[in-house]
Amino acid sequence: MALSHAHPLLLLFLVSLFVLPALSIKFFKCSTAGEDIEVKTVDISPHPVNRKGNANITVTGYTSKDIPDGASVGVTLAVLIPISEKTYSLCDVTACPVAPGPFVLTIPNIFNDKALKRRTRAYNVIVTINEEPEHARDVMCVNFVCKMRSSYMSLLSQVTE
Ligand SMILES: *[C@@H]1O[C@H](CO)[C@@H](O)[C@H](O)[C@H]1NC(C)=O
């Protein structure tokens, strides 16, 4: 059967089978996070991460209260212990201040050199929003797993580029 004669819903199903798992990252809310912000989606680009590049994270969510422009966004990469910790000003990763409603964080270059070079297959990533002056409790906190491309695959992509 030619694919062009296939039922549109079947095509949609086939496309989603291949596209969706690559796009959305399964994430968990930290037990320490507040209740005002709900995270909807987390994406890592590229994923798995190429060791000779870096990666960006996109977080979409919904907030029921204002997030002030003094707030900071933290990204920690850990393998049992933190390997890389970066802090961004909220205004550098989204339009701020954030009013109640939907928001998008676009966080660039989350890896430091140490975390890129380290031979590990995956990192646990923790993304937080903390209001300033530093609150004990993060207003947002999610964690998820970020996979690293194997060195062999990186080598292959270098050869084929
Ligand atoms: C990550 O973000 C930076 C800065 O916004 C951009 O230059 C780069 O192309 C992005 N990389 C990917 C893989 O999306």
Side-chain angles (χ1 to χ4, degrees):
M1 181 177 70
L3 212 52
S4 58
H5 292 155
H7 194 282
L9 276 181
L10 177 65
L11 279 182
L12 200 65
F13 171 73
L14 286 175
V15 167
S16 69
L17 207 60
F18 291 102
V19 173
L20 287 185
L23 283 183
S24 54
I25 302 290
K26 194 174 177 186
F27 64 90
F28 302 91
K29 185 175 175 176
C30 317
S31 58
T32 53
E35 300 297 326
D36 296 318
I37 297 179
E38 190 192 343
V39 173
K40 305 266 192 204
T41 64
V42 173
D43 291 314
I44 305 169
S45 170
H47 195 237
V49 175
N50 193 334
R51 287 171 197 283
K52 67 189 174 76
N54 209 309
N56 299 347
I57 297 178
T58 306
V59 176
T60 69
Y62 191 91
T63 178
S64 56
K65 69 169 195 100
D66 292 294
I67 312 172
D69 52 12
S72 59
V73 174
V75 179
T76 301
L77 307 172
V79 184
L80 301 178
I81 56 159
I83 307 297
S84 165
E85 287 175 286
K86 286 197 173 190
T87 306
Y88 304 78
S89 160
L90 179 70
C91 304
D92 287 341
V93 299
T94 194
C96 68
V98 177
F103 67 88
V104 180
L105 309 179
T106 308
I107 312 170
N109 304 322
I110 61 163
F111 283 83
N112 65 12
D113 283 348
K114 191 178 168 195
L116 276 174
K117 285 196 186 116
R118 196 186 152 107
R119 283 166 171 271
T120 179
R121 302 282 292 277
Y123 282 102
N124 188 35
V125 183
I126 301 147
V127 180
T128 59
I129 299 178
N130 202 288
E131 290 181 3
E132 249 139 24
E134 196 125 324
H135 278 45
R137 188 171 212 202
D138 295 319
V139 288
M140 185 200 90
C141 178
V142 286
N143 66 79
F144 49 91
V145 172
C146 172
K147 290 181 197 149
M148 304 301 288
R149 215 182 234 217
S150 71
S151 311
Y152 176 68
M153 289 302 285
S154 298
L155 201 65
L156 265 186
S157 77
Q158 239 162 337
V159 169
T160 54
E161 256 167 27

